[in-house]
Amino acid sequence: MHDVIIIGSGPAGYTAAIYAARAGLRPIVFAGAITAGGALMNTTEVENFPGFPDAVMGPELMEKMQAQAEKFGAEVRFQDITAVDLTGEVKSVTTDEDEVLTAKSVILALGSEYKKLGIDSEARFSGHGVSYCATCDGFFFKNQHIAVVGGGDSAVEEATFLARFGSKVTIIHRRDELRASKIMAQRAIDHPKIEFAWNSEVAEIHGEQKMTGLTLRDTVTGETRELDATGLFVAIGHLPRTDIVYGQVELNDEGYVVVDHPTTRTSLPGVFACGDVVDHIYRQAITAAGTGCAAALDAERHLVALEDTDARPLGAADDTALAVAVAVAEERGLPVPIPEPTDHPKGNPMASKAPAVTDATFKAEVLDSDKPVLVDFWAEWCPPCRMMGPIIDEIAAEMGGSLKVVKIDTDDNPMTSRDYGIVSIPTFNIYKGGELVGSVVGGQPKRNLVKAINKAIGR
């Protein structure tokens, strides 16, 4: 039984890990299979985090926090938690590999996810003109008219970044003035490439294979008009990722975890929450880090109150913990856990080690291959691409006899990317007999990608 399990990463989860590790609690951090590092993995320059006067890239900041946590003894696993039981004195969590772990305390750093427009055509054009990550996909919209939906700091930051690539950027906002901070708003207003569609909302997205334009609706008059943008970036806020704890810890009407301020205690003893999953007001990296610190201190005090301050060896058997883990596993039809320590080396989130192909070698290596081929369209600067690296390598190892796996850098090989309509990365194309037989866009859990591959190649 572990002392502390942290579900989630980002500035909150990694800070909690740093403090818990330095306290000798040897926490396990479930950073997420494709969401490790949280929202900052999809940002560019972070100018307001203390200690970085020249700014720092969001992914770099998260990698430094992860390294600092690991330096003090935290174990970071790039896995998702699929189920939890937090109600008893002994907490249990189930991983996406069907492993059940138990702990005396759990810290929830679940973060949030992108809020979507909610119109039918949004899903159809996701990855084909509609994006939620300017850092990932802005490169593909060079010299095009780009639209950004939203009025807060995130929307303005995305618009400013996208102006590096687009011929023009139009910010679409439901109101007649921005909600962003004054300095961010003024930056957008002063930018020569940024225009505004005030009192407007997206009514429809048009196109065939990819987006070719938008219909806007006036929020005051109801009148509609067309916008000739070929890229749409949605930045209208976030929703807390609390589905996994629904019905166990208390949530407010908006779905955020309720804590006993100024502590991070939730409605369940031994369960603490921090970061964006509790904060719908400030939503800053520094405030998330602060609550992560508080959560680790609260967890430590909880363990002291249990009069069990000595951290047990990781994986060591405990009769009560093992009984709970076995019961949970049997109830869910999962493999019954054994008490021996189990290592789960997941490596760091980095690009796949699959062989690289180029524009010049694509035909010979992919189209002329006698095996089906999975092609990972990626780029070095793309955080989700790097996060998918270990997953791609696992698939290559497991399906090596029936599937060839390669990667192609979209920056260095624009012709192949253009020929296959790549406008969002990562994109995973599946080829068989020289033909494109399947495609998956964006970061995906391993099981989803394997399912798509098997369907495409008829396995």
Side-chain angles (χ1 to χ4, degrees):
M1 181 164 62
H2 305 284
D3 285 302
V4 182
I5 288 177
I6 300 171
I7 306 177
S9 48
Y14 284 148
T15 301
I18 291 168
Y19 274 77
R22 291 188 75 249
L25 303 179
R26 289 179 284 184
I28 294 184
V29 183
F30 288 95
I34 59 175
T35 58
L40 280 183
M41 293 296 287
N42 294 325
T43 62
T44 52
E45 291 184 344
V46 179
E47 298 179 320
N48 54 7
F49 200 89
F52 296 91
D54 297 322
V56 59
M57 298 296 286
E60 179 186 357
L61 180 60
M62 289 302 93
E63 288 166 5
K64 287 180 180 294
M65 283 191 176
Q66 176 195 328
Q68 189 173 359
E70 290 174 324
K71 172 185 175 182
F72 292 114
E75 179 185 350
V76 179
R77 297 189 186 182
F78 300 103
Q79 295 173 274
D80 289 322
I81 296 300
T82 57
V84 298
D85 186 350
L86 307 176
T87 54
E89 181 177 338
V90 176
K91 321 297 178 185
S92 72
V93 303
T94 304
T95 75
D96 55 9
E97 296 183 356
D98 292 340
E99 179 188 11
V100 180
L101 295 89
T102 56
K104 304 168 195 172
S105 64
V106 171
I107 295 175
L108 304 174
L110 301 167
S112 58
E113 59 188 351
Y114 297 114
K115 188 182 291 185
K116 298 185 178 179
L117 297 174
I119 60 178
D120 292 340
S121 51
E122 180 179 14
R124 182 159 69 93
F125 289 104
S126 180
H128 301 280
V130 176
S131 176
Y132 305 88
C133 176
T135 311
C136 305
D137 300 335
F139 173 83
F140 297 103
F141 295 89
K142 286 184 176 180
N143 301 317
Q144 298 181 43
H145 182 185
I146 305 170
V148 176
V149 183
D153 279 353
S154 295
V156 172
E157 181 185 4
E158 297 247 312
T160 305
F161 175 77
L162 290 166
R164 304 179 188 180
F165 305 102
S167 58
K168 179 170 66 173
V169 177
T170 298
I171 296 179
I172 303 168
H173 188 39
R174 293 178 55 85
R175 300 176 177 82
D176 59 1
E177 63 178 0
L178 296 172
R179 295 181 291 106
S181 59
K182 289 184 178 180
I183 186 170
M184 293 292 289
Q186 195 60 48
R187 187 177 298 177
I189 292 168
D190 293 341
H191 201 291
K193 284 189 177 182
I194 296 179
E195 299 180 358
F196 297 88
W198 301 113
N199 297 319
S200 300
E201 62 184 5
V202 177
E204 191 59 62
I205 304 168
H206 306 294
E208 294 296 331
Q209 298 302 316
K210 58 183 179 180
M211 174 183 147
T212 57
L214 301 170
T215 297
L216 302 185
R217 181 186 298 115
D218 192 295
T219 57
V220 178
T221 67
E223 295 179 355
T224 60
R225 65 187 188 279
E226 302 304 308
L227 190 71
D228 62 351
T230 52
L232 176 65
F233 288 79
V234 181
I236 57 175
H238 297 77
L239 296 171
R241 286 194 176 103
T242 49
D243 289 351
I244 196 172
V245 296
Y246 182 80
Q248 296 190 49
V249 300
E250 182 184 355
L251 308 177
N252 66 15
D253 292 340
E254 295 174 298
Y256 290 85
V257 176
V258 175
V259 294
D260 182 17
H261 288 294
T263 76
T264 62
R265 293 193 297 266
T266 71
S267 57
L268 295 178
V271 181
F272 310 90
C274 55
D276 285 359
V277 79
V278 301
D279 177 17
H280 62 284
I281 299 175
Y282 300 107
R283 302 186 54 80
Q284 301 296 305
I286 188 62
T287 53
T291 58
C293 162
L297 295 176
D298 287 340
E300 183 182 5
R301 290 165 183 161
H302 171 75
L303 294 171
V304 170
L306 292 178
E307 298 181 347
D308 191 2
T309 58
D310 292 330
R312 302 188 181 203
L314 290 181
D318 176 273
D319 292 340
T320 303
L322 184 59
V324 171
V326 169
V328 170
E330 290 177 342
E331 178 185 347
R332 296 173 184 162
L334 303 174
V336 175
I338 57 175
E340 289 82 3
T342 305
D343 292 329
H344 281 263
K346 281 291 180 181
N348 287 320
M350 61 182 67
S352 168
K353 297 179 177 64
V357 298
T358 66
D359 285 339
T361 63
F362 190 84
K363 182 179 184 300
E365 294 292 337
V366 177
L367 303 183
D368 295 340
S369 173
D370 56 358
K371 281 186 183 180
V373 186
L374 174 69
V375 181
D376 175 10
F377 288 85
W378 77 294
E380 181 65 39
W381 44 264
C382 166
C385 298
R386 286 184 282 146
M387 294 309 307
M388 288 298 294
I391 295 176
I392 297 303
D393 290 342
E394 287 181 11
I395 291 174
E398 293 170 6
M399 302 181 68
S402 58
L403 181 76
K404 182 177 179 180
V405 178
V406 299
K407 62 183 179 182
I408 183 167
D409 191 316
T410 56
D411 281 352
D412 296 336
N413 302 277
M415 291 178 59
T416 303
S417 302
R418 181 198 61 207
D419 290 346
Y420 286 96
I422 305 300
V423 294
S424 182
I425 54 174
T427 288
F428 306 96
N429 279 0
I430 306 152
Y431 299 84
K432 184 178 180 181
E435 299 293 330
L436 176 62
V437 294
S439 184
V440 179
V441 178
Q444 300 285 329
K446 178 182 172 183
R447 58 185 177 275
N448 290 4
L449 193 51
V450 170
K451 182 178 179 181
I453 294 168
N454 288 336
K455 180 180 179 181
I457 66 177
R459 188 167 179 241

XYZ file of all heavy atoms in Angstrom, residues 250-301:
381
model
N -17.626 15.378 -3.385
C -18.622 16.422 -3.635
C -18.149 17.355 -4.746
O -17.006 17.810 -4.741
C -18.881 17.222 -2.364
C -19.942 18.304 -2.538
C -20.123 19.155 -1.290
O -19.490 18.834 -0.257
O -20.887 20.137 -1.352
N -19.031 17.634 -5.699
C -18.773 18.559 -6.787
C -19.766 19.707 -6.716
O -20.889 19.543 -6.220
C -18.906 17.862 -8.149
C -18.111 16.564 -8.367
C -18.429 15.992 -9.747
C -16.621 16.806 -8.219
N -19.372 20.886 -7.239
C -20.327 21.987 -7.295
C -21.162 21.892 -8.570
O -21.022 20.941 -9.351
C -19.628 23.345 -7.170
C -18.726 23.671 -8.355
O -18.804 23.035 -9.415
N -17.864 24.656 -8.191
N -22.029 22.865 -8.791
C -22.942 22.803 -9.932
C -22.220 22.809 -11.270
O -22.767 22.358 -12.286
C -23.921 23.983 -9.883
C -24.893 23.876 -8.715
O -25.065 22.755 -8.200
O -25.464 24.906 -8.320
N -20.987 23.339 -11.299
C -20.228 23.401 -12.541
C -19.311 22.203 -12.719
O -18.563 22.130 -13.693
C -19.413 24.696 -12.590
C -20.284 25.951 -12.636
C -19.445 27.210 -12.548
O -18.747 27.404 -11.515
O -19.460 28.001 -13.509
N -19.328 21.282 -11.759
C -18.533 20.071 -11.886
C -17.157 20.130 -11.253
O -16.376 19.174 -11.365
N -16.807 21.238 -10.569
C -15.514 21.346 -9.913
C -15.557 20.670 -8.541
O -16.610 20.638 -7.876
C -15.115 22.813 -9.736
C -14.772 23.513 -11.030
C -15.763 24.086 -11.819
C -13.456 23.598 -11.476
C -15.466 24.718 -13.015
C -13.146 24.235 -12.669
C -14.156 24.790 -13.431
O -13.849 25.415 -14.623
N -14.424 20.129 -8.110
C -14.350 19.489 -6.800
C -14.457 20.548 -5.711
O -13.779 21.579 -5.754
C -13.029 18.712 -6.647
C -12.921 18.119 -5.246
C -12.930 17.602 -7.697
N -15.306 20.292 -4.739
C -15.481 21.201 -3.605
C -14.438 20.866 -2.544
O -14.307 19.701 -2.151
C -16.901 21.077 -3.021
C -17.034 21.931 -1.763
C -17.939 21.481 -4.060
N -13.688 21.868 -2.100
C -12.704 21.669 -1.036
C -13.020 22.599 0.135
O -13.707 23.612 -0.021
C -11.261 21.922 -1.538
C -10.864 20.897 -2.569
C -11.108 23.330 -2.083
N -12.498 22.228 1.281
C -12.720 22.989 2.508
C -11.662 24.084 2.600
O -10.632 23.911 3.236
C -12.649 22.053 3.719
C -12.923 22.761 5.040
O -13.484 23.874 5.005
O -12.576 22.193 6.094
N -11.915 25.198 1.914
C -10.931 26.292 1.899
C -10.646 26.764 3.327
O -11.542 26.784 4.168
C -11.469 27.465 1.076
C -11.482 27.188 -0.399
N -10.345 27.013 -1.144
C -12.517 27.048 -1.270
C -10.673 26.788 -2.416
N -11.978 26.797 -2.510
N -9.400 27.155 3.635
C -8.260 27.284 2.709
C -7.465 25.992 2.510
O -6.424 26.008 1.870
C -7.391 28.333 3.393
C -7.618 28.085 4.851
C -9.078 27.683 4.967
N -7.957 24.868 3.028
C -7.253 23.602 2.810
C -7.646 23.025 1.449
O -8.470 23.586 0.729
C -7.607 22.578 3.903
O -8.915 22.048 3.653
C -7.569 23.223 5.294
N -7.063 21.886 1.125
C -7.414 21.184 -0.115
C -8.211 19.917 0.181
O -8.369 19.061 -0.684
C -6.149 20.814 -0.910
O -5.344 19.908 -0.126
C -5.341 22.057 -1.257
N -8.749 19.794 1.401
C -9.518 18.610 1.785
C -10.834 18.566 1.021
O -11.544 19.560 0.915
C -9.796 18.612 3.295
C -8.571 18.435 4.180
C -8.998 18.131 5.614
N -9.747 19.251 6.184
C -9.212 20.221 6.917
N -7.907 20.217 7.162
N -9.965 21.182 7.407
N -11.146 17.400 0.494
C -12.429 17.195 -0.174
C -13.434 16.657 0.838
O -13.161 16.598 2.044
C -12.289 16.204 -1.337
O -12.065 14.884 -0.809
C -11.142 16.597 -2.256
N -14.580 16.213 0.353
C -15.612 15.672 1.234
C -15.253 14.294 1.777
O -15.940 13.793 2.676
C -16.949 15.592 0.480
O -16.823 14.797 -0.694
N -14.183 13.668 1.248
C -13.760 12.342 1.700
C -12.442 12.435 2.458
O -11.477 13.031 1.953
C -13.596 11.398 0.510
C -14.864 11.057 -0.280
C -14.521 10.156 -1.461
C -15.894 10.386 0.614
N -12.347 11.864 3.647
C -11.081 11.873 4.386
C -9.971 11.202 3.578
O -10.185 10.147 2.961
C -11.399 11.055 5.647
C -12.886 11.126 5.791
C -13.431 11.189 4.400
N -8.811 11.841 3.555
C -7.675 11.270 2.854
C -7.645 11.568 1.377
O -6.744 11.105 0.670
N -8.600 12.346 0.876
C -8.643 12.715 -0.535
C -8.537 14.236 -0.644
O -9.319 14.963 -0.012
C -9.934 12.232 -1.220
C -9.930 12.622 -2.703
C -10.074 10.722 -1.064
N -7.579 14.692 -1.436
C -7.294 16.120 -1.566
C -7.323 16.501 -3.043
O -7.096 15.649 -3.915
C -5.942 16.436 -0.930
C -5.816 15.881 0.463
C -5.301 14.607 0.681
C -6.256 16.613 1.559
C -5.220 14.073 1.956
C -6.187 16.087 2.840
C -5.665 14.809 3.046
N -7.601 17.753 -3.331
C -7.731 18.176 -4.724
C -7.032 19.511 -4.933
O -7.019 20.368 -4.041
C -9.206 18.285 -5.127
N -6.455 19.679 -6.123
C -5.685 20.890 -6.394
C -5.710 21.219 -7.887
O -6.069 20.382 -8.712
C -4.240 20.722 -5.914
S -3.392 19.269 -6.598
N -5.315 22.442 -8.212
C -5.208 22.851 -9.603
C -6.536 23.214 -10.230
O -7.493 23.601 -9.549
N -6.610 23.091 -11.544
C -7.788 23.530 -12.292
C -9.047 22.754 -11.958
O -10.153 23.206 -12.267
C -7.523 23.423 -13.798
C -6.622 24.533 -14.302
O -6.220 25.384 -13.486
O -6.307 24.543 -15.509
N -8.919 21.589 -11.332
C -10.101 20.802 -11.014
C -10.868 21.420 -9.841
O -12.030 21.068 -9.593
C -9.719 19.339 -10.721
C -9.165 19.186 -9.303
C -10.891 18.409 -10.958
N -10.239 22.370 -9.123
C -10.931 23.075 -8.039
C -11.052 24.572 -8.315
O -11.842 25.253 -7.672
C -10.220 22.876 -6.677
C -10.146 21.406 -6.312
C -8.821 23.478 -6.679
N -10.292 25.084 -9.253
C -10.195 26.540 -9.450
C -10.814 26.964 -10.779
O -10.260 26.696 -11.841
C -8.718 26.955 -9.399
C -8.521 28.439 -9.668
O -9.499 29.198 -9.576
O -7.383 28.830 -9.982
N -11.948 27.622 -10.722
C -12.563 28.158 -11.932
C -12.488 29.687 -11.957
O -13.120 30.326 -12.787
C -14.028 27.718 -12.036
C -14.896 28.212 -10.909
N -14.861 27.660 -9.657
C -15.801 29.210 -10.868
C -15.720 28.300 -8.873
N -16.293 29.248 -9.590
N -11.692 30.254 -11.051
C -11.583 31.712 -10.958
C -10.247 32.196 -11.490
O -10.181 33.004 -12.419
C -11.779 32.187 -9.506
C -13.184 31.789 -9.011
C -11.578 33.702 -9.407
C -13.426 32.112 -7.559
N -9.151 31.706 -10.927
C -7.829 32.226 -11.285
C -7.213 31.469 -12.465
O -6.677 32.075 -13.390
C -6.899 32.172 -10.071
C -7.416 32.982 -8.919
C -7.940 32.371 -7.787
C -7.412 34.368 -8.967
C -8.434 33.114 -6.729
C -7.910 35.124 -7.915
C -8.420 34.484 -6.799
O -8.910 35.230 -5.767
N -7.194 30.146 -12.393
C -6.750 29.301 -13.498
C -5.370 29.695 -14.026
O -5.159 29.842 -15.223
C -7.771 29.348 -14.641
C -9.173 28.909 -14.250
C -10.087 28.835 -15.449
N -9.496 27.993 -16.454
C -9.536 26.652 -16.440
N -10.128 26.034 -15.458
N -8.974 25.960 -17.400
N -4.415 29.879 -13.143
C -3.052 30.223 -13.514
C -2.112 29.096 -13.108
O -2.377 28.350 -12.159
C -2.613 31.526 -12.833
C -3.471 32.730 -13.168
C -3.394 33.079 -14.640
O -2.317 33.280 -15.192
N -4.553 33.166 -15.286
N -0.986 28.998 -13.809
C -0.010 27.965 -13.469
C 0.505 28.133 -12.045
O 0.686 27.151 -11.314
C 1.150 28.005 -14.468
N 0.732 29.377 -11.638
C 1.308 29.623 -10.316
C 0.304 29.312 -9.211
O 0.672 28.774 -8.160
C 1.839 31.076 -10.204
C 2.608 31.270 -8.900
C 0.712 32.085 -10.339
C 3.825 30.405 -8.760
N -0.995 29.609 -9.421
C -1.979 29.270 -8.398
C -2.195 27.763 -8.342
O -2.425 27.194 -7.273
C -3.318 29.987 -8.660
O -3.751 29.722 -10.006
C -3.172 31.491 -8.479
N -2.128 27.095 -9.490
C -2.227 25.636 -9.500
C -1.081 25.012 -8.727
O -1.267 24.073 -7.935
C -2.250 25.118 -10.939
N 0.136 25.535 -8.948
C 1.302 25.031 -8.218
C 1.129 25.246 -6.716
O 1.484 24.378 -5.902
C 2.567 25.717 -8.722
N 0.578 26.399 -6.342
C 0.361 26.689 -4.925
C -0.585 25.701 -4.279
O -0.327 25.208 -3.166
N -1.674 25.375 -4.956
C -2.606 24.409 -4.373
C -2.023 22.998 -4.387
O -2.356 22.170 -3.534
C -3.961 24.423 -5.119
O -3.756 24.135 -6.509
C -4.646 25.770 -4.981
N -1.131 22.718 -5.348
C -0.442 21.430 -5.340
C 0.431 21.275 -4.114
O 0.476 20.213 -3.478
N 1.130 22.348 -3.765
C 1.943 22.367 -2.541
C 1.057 22.117 -1.331
O 1.363 21.285 -0.472
C 2.665 23.710 -2.434
S 3.281 24.103 -0.783
N -0.076 22.834 -1.265
C -0.980 22.700 -0.121
C -1.536 21.279 -0.020
O -1.657 20.723 1.073
C -2.121 23.703 -0.249
N -1.854 20.672 -1.155
C -2.403 19.315 -1.144
C -1.405 18.316 -0.579
O -1.773 17.414 0.183
C -2.826 18.917 -2.556
N -0.139 18.458 -0.966
C 0.889 17.546 -0.442
C 1.053 17.722 1.065
O 1.185 16.730 1.803
C 2.211 17.796 -1.158
N 1.044 18.969 1.541
C 1.163 19.216 2.981
C -0.050 18.669 3.727
O 0.079 18.097 4.815
C 1.318 20.716 3.235
C 2.598 21.359 2.693
C 2.579 22.868 2.916
C 3.834 20.742 3.344
N -1.242 18.836 3.142
C -2.452 18.301 3.772
C -2.402 16.779 3.823
O -2.814 16.167 4.816
C -3.694 18.758 2.998
C -4.004 20.236 3.207
O -3.524 20.806 4.204
O -4.727 20.813 2.375
N -1.917 16.155 2.749
C -1.817 14.694 2.728
C -0.828 14.206 3.778
O -1.079 13.198 4.469
C -1.396 14.223 1.340
N 0.282 14.916 3.908
C 1.284 14.535 4.911
C 0.692 14.607 6.318
O 0.891 13.697 7.139
C 2.499 15.449 4.800
C 3.627 15.084 5.756
C 4.813 16.030 5.654
O 4.716 17.033 4.910
O 5.826 15.778 6.339
N -0.054 15.662 6.594
C -0.678 15.802 7.915
C -1.726 14.717 8.148
O -1.885 14.230 9.282
C -1.306 17.195 8.035
C -0.264 18.304 8.131
C -0.854 19.669 7.875
N 0.191 20.701 7.903
C 0.050 21.899 7.379
N -1.077 22.249 6.790
N 1.040 22.775 7.460
